[in-house]
Amino acid sequence: MAKYGISQEGASALHQLASDMNSLMDSIEQSGQSLTSTVRGLGEGLGTYEDQIMDLVEQVHREQEPGKEAVTQLVGEINKMAQRIESLLGAGLG
């Protein structure tokens, strides 16, 4: 596991980590929406399998929600850690 020092670089790295995690979650969500659109676009071409495939896609979306909430909480905690480092630096402790 990486360690982040009490330095501006450490705080910046934590902010970047939080930003990257948000970007990944956004990318996963956009990919899910793209999958849904693609399957709907194929519609009748999928025949009797369309409903089954859409059910599976929706199940994936439902399963993803708790993970998204957990990542959002984690991002908040990471940003708090970065702010603590910045506070320590502001107090001359870095």
Side-chain angles (χ1 to χ4, degrees):
M1 174 179 261
K3 298 202 180 214
Y4 298 91
I6 299 175
S7 64
Q8 188 54 52
E9 293 82 14
S12 294
L14 285 170
H15 283 303
Q16 185 62 50
L17 176 61
S19 177
D20 291 348
M21 290 175 72
N22 270 330
S23 293
L24 286 170
M25 284 306 301
D26 289 343
S27 178
I28 290 169
E29 189 171 343
Q30 289 173 357
S31 294
Q33 291 171 354
S34 176
L35 176 60
T36 300
S37 295
T38 300
V39 172
R40 284 189 178 141
L42 294 173
E44 291 181 17
L46 297 172
T48 60
Y49 298 109
E50 179 183 7
D51 290 338
Q52 292 173 328
I53 293 170
M54 283 308 299
D55 287 345
L56 290 172
V57 170
E58 290 303 318
Q59 183 178 352
V60 169
H61 291 313
R62 283 191 305 275
E63 294 295 326
Q64 179 187 341
E65 282 305 311
K68 182 179 176 182
E69 292 172 18
V71 170
T72 299
Q73 289 177 347
L74 184 56
V75 164
E77 291 301 315
I78 290 170
N79 279 322
K80 285 180 190 176
M81 290 172 63
Q83 290 167 354
R84 285 186 205 127
I85 290 173
E86 291 167 341
S87 293
L88 290 171
L89 292 172
L93 299 173

